[in-house]
Amino acid sequence: MKFLEKYDFTKEDIAYFLNNSPKKLIDGVKEHKKLVGENIKYLKDLGVTNYQKIFLEYYDMFLMDHSNFVQIFDKYEPEDLIEKLNKNFKIVEFL
Amino acid sequence: MIDIEKNMEATFDKSLKEKAELFNLDEKENKLLIERYSYTLATTPYAELKDSKEYLETQGITITKAREVKVLAHSIQILKNKCSLMGEAHEMELYRLDPVKLNLNAMDLWKKIKYCNQINVPYKNEDGTYKDFLFDEKEFQEKTGKPVDTTVIDPTPIVEEAEVKEEAPVINESTVPDITMTINADLTKALEDIEPRDYIETPPHIEMSDYSSNNMINDFQKIENNATSFSTLQENVKRQMDALNNEDVVNPMDMVGFNDIEPETFNAGFSRIRGYNDKGETRRDDAA
């Protein structure tokens, strides 16, 4: 799971993920780390500051196909989206 | 009698759409489940999803949202362990209010709740819901002044290319995780995140004498090429093995009548004498 460190996840974040997720999904993230990394990078590049929290809460969403993942977010005004996500990352559920 | 329907169910898994229908979600949640949170559905057989869902319902835990389905990525045994632990602590409401909390390490949650009780820090709101600090390590430490001692287990040790592995302790599949139980005797039966492991019986071991294994292999190779009737072969090989066990070495080539037998039959016969049946399983009972 070291690949997450490339996206500024701390060791504590990674430990939390490993300790609080089903083994099957941990394996899925490891197996598809390139795809997961791509989706994480998209959020990071977009300017979302709490993308780590979004991943730690909704990690299975990051196993989506990249273009479909992007479609969740790119239909909103970026500045407005970033402001709202940074304020409360749980609005991801309502996008 | 074979249950044909169950057999078919196991052999031919259902589609994502059929699996999603298990949960009777509203249209919006159903769409989300298939579009965003389908990994659990895709990687878990229908029968397992059904069994786990039904088990949770017996505990009063109902899945009503797409993002809650991922808790079914746990095996039913793990779900039972978690429910057992929280049930004994009288905190099942935590899962009933928010099934996603089933993903959290139940032992850690239990420790946090116990500690809050000890230092008299309320961890529930007036309406019976659980305070957020319980689920965030940093917030918990700030609120209570104490970090939770967690044991991180990486269940699938994968060596990543060109990287030094500096992660938490790795558990190999051949070992059982060592979890320190600091709970009272009533809760010792709850084992967090351990799946049942089948005991694999080791094959019977035959002690060899001074007759070197290389010689034996060479000689039995010759036997394989010059085989005899099977029953004679069986008899002779058994006699040979007995002799070896009794440290009375007999060169197998001194045995008579090894002609005209197929190598496969020889191998099968030899396996049977050694204590395996045709499927390669041990048959100590039969031998006895």
Side-chain angles (χ1 to χ4, degrees):
Chain A
M1 212 52 72
K2 212 167 168 63
F3 80 97
L4 289 174
E5 288 181 11
K6 290 180 208 165
Y7 305 102
D8 305 323
F9 282 79
T10 62
K11 287 196 188 311
E12 288 76 23
D13 289 336
I14 296 172
Y16 177 86
F17 172 61
L18 293 175
N19 205 26
N20 293 286
S21 311
K23 181 183 177 302
K24 195 178 286 182
L25 290 171
I26 293 172
D27 289 348
V29 166
K30 278 183 180 172
E31 195 184 328
H32 303 286
K33 61 182 181 183
K34 197 175 167 196
L35 169 65
V36 169
E38 223 180 326
N39 288 335
I40 292 173
K41 189 173 183 294
Y42 169 76
L43 284 183
K44 186 180 175 186
D45 292 345
L46 193 63
V48 176
T49 54
N50 53 5
Y51 61 88
Q52 292 104 330
K53 280 194 172 174
I54 295 175
F55 174 80
L56 292 175
E57 188 71 25
Y58 307 101
Y59 41 85
D60 52 340
M61 202 172 83
F62 287 71
L63 290 163
M64 278 175 78
D65 169 75
H66 181 63
S67 54
N68 291 340
F69 183 85
V70 167
Q71 272 180 26
I72 296 171
F73 302 95
D74 72 358
K75 55 191 175 201
Y76 300 99
E77 219 302 309
E79 276 177 26
D80 188 37
L81 175 68
I82 292 162
E83 189 201 331
K84 292 209 162 57
L85 277 174
N86 289 342
K87 213 171 171 181
N88 180 6
F89 70 92
K90 293 193 178 182
I91 66 157
V92 157
E93 289 180 43
F94 303 99
L95 297 179
Chain B
M1 286 288 283
I2 298 171
D3 185 330
I4 293 173
E5 205 175 302
K6 230 177 177 149
N7 203 41
M8 280 184 66
E9 226 174 63
T11 314
F12 304 105
D13 200 14
K14 296 192 191 266
S15 67
L16 275 184
K17 189 170 169 251
E18 284 169 307
K19 288 179 182 178
E21 282 168 5
L22 254 178
F23 304 100
N24 294 319
L25 301 176
D26 66 35
E27 200 180 320
K28 182 194 158 215
E29 290 293 329
N30 200 57
K31 190 168 181 272
L32 281 177
L33 177 57
I34 292 182
E35 288 178 2
R36 293 192 197 181
Y37 305 112
S38 60
Y39 190 83
T40 300
L41 293 188
T43 54
T44 311
Y46 179 88
E48 278 182 36
L49 287 169
K50 188 166 179 278
D51 288 346
S52 295
K53 176 187 169 276
E54 284 172 358
Y55 166 72
L56 289 180
E57 283 169 358
T58 65
Q59 305 301 307
I61 302 168
T62 310
I63 289 173
T64 56
K65 292 193 180 144
R67 58 180 291 266
E68 294 168 355
V69 170
K70 69 174 174 251
V71 305
L72 303 186
H74 288 296
S75 69
I76 192 169
Q77 188 56 53
I78 287 177
L79 291 173
K80 284 180 178 176
N81 292 345
K82 288 174 185 274
C83 288
S84 173
L85 186 61
M86 281 300 148
E88 296 250 13
H90 306 291
E91 300 289 356
M92 277 294 281
E93 204 56 27
L94 194 149
Y95 293 151
R96 290 175 186 139
L97 288 169
D98 186 3
V100 172
K101 297 292 186 278
L102 277 162
N103 280 336
L104 301 179
N105 186 304
M107 189 64 75
D108 286 350
L109 267 177
W110 185 91
K111 285 180 189 175
K112 284 177 183 174
I113 289 171
K114 191 180 177 202
Y115 185 65
C116 287
N117 281 326
Q118 277 175 358
I119 61 171
N120 221 17
V121 166
Y123 57 91
K124 277 188 188 174
N125 297 312
E126 281 176 11
D127 59 358
T129 55
Y130 290 77
K131 290 182 186 277
D132 286 344
F133 77 85
L134 209 54
F135 312 113
D136 186 287
E137 309 306 312
K138 219 173 173 179
E139 276 186 49
F140 183 85
Q141 186 172 2
E142 280 168 15
K143 192 81 179 176
T144 62
K146 178 180 174 165
V148 175
D149 177 24
T150 62
T151 302
V152 177
I153 297 170
D154 184 350
T156 54
I158 295 172
V159 177
E160 292 171 291
E161 285 176 2
E163 283 173 341
V164 174
K165 201 150 179 66
E166 289 173 359
E167 288 177 345
V170 155
I171 307 296
N172 294 317
E173 286 204 6
S174 59
T175 62
V176 175
D178 177 28
I179 292 176
T180 306
M181 296 296 212
T182 55
I183 53 179
N184 63 35
D186 290 338
L187 297 171
T188 51
K189 69 181 180 201
L191 298 173
E192 181 71 28
D193 289 335
I194 293 178
E195 302 227 22
R197 297 197 184 275
D198 295 328
Y199 172 68
I200 299 168
E201 195 176 0
T202 53
H205 175 67
I206 298 173
E207 293 294 331
M208 303 301 283
S209 66
D210 293 333
Y211 187 78
S212 83
S213 55
N214 279 339
N215 287 342
M216 181 155 220
I217 289 166
N218 290 338
D219 286 345
F220 276 119
Q221 195 65 52
K222 288 173 193 167
I223 292 166
E224 198 174 80
N225 298 333
N226 298 289
T228 186
S229 73
F230 181 69
S231 57
T232 313
L233 171 67
Q234 237 179 341
E235 233 172 31
N236 289 335
V237 172
K238 187 168 187 317
R239 198 175 40 163
Q240 167 65 349
M241 297 313 300
D242 287 343
L244 286 169
N245 281 337
N246 295 330
E247 300 192 353
D248 181 15
V249 178
V250 173
N251 188 330
M253 292 312 293
D254 289 337
M255 290 187 264
V256 297
F258 285 99
N259 294 306
D260 303 327
I261 191 167
E262 293 301 315
E264 291 82 16
T265 316
F266 168 83
N267 289 335
F270 187 64
S271 291
R272 268 200 286 275
I273 290 162
R274 278 192 56 117
Y276 294 92
N277 64 17
D278 289 334
K279 293 175 191 170
E281 296 160 356
T282 59
R283 37 170 256 163
R284 277 186 172 150
D285 291 342
D286 290 345

